[in-house]
Amino acid sequence: MPYEPRLELSVVVPIYNEEGTVAPFLTALARQQGIRLEVILSDGASSDRSIQVAQQLRAGLPFPLTIVEGTKGRGGQLNRGADAARAETLLFLHIDSSFVDLLALRKGVDSLGEALRAGERVAGRFALRFDFPGAVPLPYRFYGAKAALDRPGCTHGDQGFLIRRDFFAQIGPYDTARPLMEDTFLAERVRREGRWILLPADITTSPRRFLSEGLLPRQTINAILMNLAHTGQLSLVRCLQTSYRSQDATAKLRLAPFLVPLHQAMDDLEPGQRRQLWRRTGAYVRGNAWQIAFFFDVLTGGIRQAGRGGRFLDLYDRFLGRLIDNKAGDLGAALLTWLWFRMTFLAASRSSEPGRG
């Protein structure tokens, strides 16, 4: 019986109708050097040829490829992929992600191992870059720089989550009750139970969703969903399943179909519930006001090291952040957010009227 070297890494990738992306992804991953890995594609009942394309490529790949099939739902797909994995180190990865550095996975596993030998409870994520042919536009530079920060709400699945199986068993699995943001909430459980390290390589992700849906409407919906999730009010979104369509179904987003029923659902709350929602919203938004200062650091080129802010963020943390960390700050943030939401709702409603938009 031939000797089979022990696998060092299991790469778990959820897919759904990714027929055109499977081959480039696997081909790029096959170029990684110095690492013994396997790949698990966890399919969510794709209706295209995603599985067939992967099966046709299997024989020519330098690593074992396993295909797991089940129902659609990113959390469940990730969990099924983890269950099928054979290595002790897992990498949860998006299929539109890639690595320029051919030793990225080798460096990532080694870096995680060094932290583990020091007795730390850690998981790793890669520095994020968006795939543009030329200069990366400012908003995407900001998102990439923010993803390197070790702050709540900054760590997301498009960075790749590198984690040992035993630690994942403690903080996981992914919450299958959440139809979205399951990666963000897992990231915060890691932060509560251990810590994140920034791995010494970049991961490149596609801006395809932002480009097809529109950056402003996509980020408007994302911001509202993040707030409602953190305030425990996601049930107010009556069109939750369609607020984040699978990649094959993306198109230019219109805000009115999302905001109009949300506005009505908020109006239907009891007065006390509505006041509580806005109080919690104020606290959440105030707690994220540091992003304005960090944006100016990115805008002025003040970021000298990945994972660190510049002078604007430093001044915010030392002075302004402390000044507004109180009920008055929460109230002011709630009022500004209410005004923003009201103006956004009115603008979206007008644009949806016949003859407009």
Side-chain angles (χ1 to χ4, degrees):
M1 181 175 180
Y3 169 72
E4 183 178 341
R6 182 171 57 88
L7 290 169
E8 298 175 276
L9 180 66
S10 293
V11 182
V12 178
V13 189
I15 63 171
Y16 177 75
N17 286 356
E18 293 284 0
E19 177 181 345
T21 316
V22 168
F25 171 79
L26 292 174
T27 301
L29 206 57
R31 291 195 287 267
Q32 286 294 301
Q33 300 175 6
I35 185 82
R36 295 186 298 277
L37 62 88
E38 67 170 349
V39 175
I40 299 100
L41 297 182
S42 185
D43 183 69
S46 292
S47 58
D48 66 357
R49 297 184 65 256
S50 297
I51 293 178
Q52 291 90 327
V53 171
Q55 290 171 334
Q56 291 168 3
L57 293 170
R58 177 185 276 144
L61 296 172
F63 47 72
L65 173 65
T66 300
I67 300 172
V68 179
E69 299 183 58
T71 57
K72 182 182 178 185
R74 186 178 291 271
Q77 289 175 242
L78 290 164
N79 291 337
R80 288 193 295 272
D83 289 341
R86 293 181 290 161
E88 291 303 311
T89 302
L90 310 175
L91 173 61
F92 297 103
L93 198 61
H94 288 186
I95 198 165
D96 58 357
S97 299
S98 62
F99 301 95
V100 174
D101 186 347
L102 300 184
L103 293 173
L105 298 185
R106 176 73 270 161
K107 293 175 180 177
V109 170
D110 288 347
S111 182
L112 185 70
E114 289 175 10
L116 290 170
R117 283 191 291 274
E120 299 183 82
R121 292 158 56 89
V122 298
R125 85 278 192 213
F126 294 93
L128 181 67
R129 293 181 57 85
F130 284 89
D131 186 13
F132 283 93
V136 178
L138 175 61
Y140 299 92
R141 295 205 311 272
F142 169 72
Y143 302 144
K146 189 178 77 166
L149 297 176
D150 188 14
R151 291 179 176 237
C154 290
T155 308
H156 304 285
D158 50 8
Q159 295 177 257
F161 288 176
L162 187 68
I163 187 170
R164 293 284 290 184
R165 180 187 297 277
D166 55 355
F167 192 23
F168 178 68
Q170 293 174 33
I171 57 93
Y174 286 92
D175 188 351
T176 57
R178 294 186 181 278
L180 44 78
M181 292 186 291
E182 68 293 318
D183 54 348
T184 303
F185 282 87
L186 183 83
E188 295 313 308
R189 293 203 295 275
V190 169
R191 188 167 278 112
R192 287 194 300 270
E193 300 295 328
R195 75 179 184 94
W196 282 101
I197 60 172
L198 188 63
L199 301 171
D202 289 352
I203 189 170
T204 302
T205 191
S206 170
R208 56 182 182 163
R209 179 175 294 276
F210 293 126
L211 296 178
S212 61
E213 294 184 336
L215 179 62
L216 182 58
R218 176 73 266 163
Q219 289 297 63
T220 297
I221 291 179
N222 284 351
I224 293 172
L225 291 174
M226 286 288 288
N227 174 70
L228 292 175
H230 280 85
T231 56
Q233 294 287 353
L234 262 181
S235 59
L236 291 174
V237 183
R238 296 168 180 170
C239 55
L240 189 58
Q241 294 292 345
T242 59
S243 66
Y244 204 86
R245 295 185 176 92
S246 58
Q247 182 59 43
D248 66 302
T250 56
K252 189 70 174 179
L253 274 180
R254 298 181 67 85
L255 289 177
F258 174 82
L259 293 180
V260 171
L262 174 60
H263 188 272
Q264 183 61 55
M266 293 170 68
D267 282 347
D268 290 342
L269 291 173
E270 296 293 331
Q273 293 176 313
R274 197 157 50 242
R275 286 193 296 270
Q276 183 182 57
L277 170 62
W278 284 111
R279 280 197 300 268
R280 291 178 176 176
T281 293
Y284 175 74
V285 172
R286 189 267 308 158
N288 282 276
W290 61 266
Q291 296 190 43
I292 300 173
F294 187 65
F295 178 83
F296 281 103
D297 282 331
V298 176
L299 176 65
T300 59
I303 308 298
R304 297 287 178 256
Q305 181 181 349
R308 301 289 298 274
R311 61 189 180 94
F312 286 103
L313 183 57
D314 182 58
L315 288 171
Y316 176 88
D317 286 340
R318 289 167 58 190
F319 301 109
L320 184 57
R322 297 179 181 181
L323 183 64
I324 65 174
D325 187 7
N326 48 53
K327 290 183 178 179
D330 292 352
L331 180 61
L335 177 60
L336 290 174
T337 306
W338 181 87
L339 290 171
W340 169 83
F341 179 76
R342 185 65 182 170
M343 293 171 62
T344 303
F345 166 73
L346 292 174
S349 299
R350 283 198 298 270
S351 67
S352 66
E353 294 173 0
R356 292 178 178 268

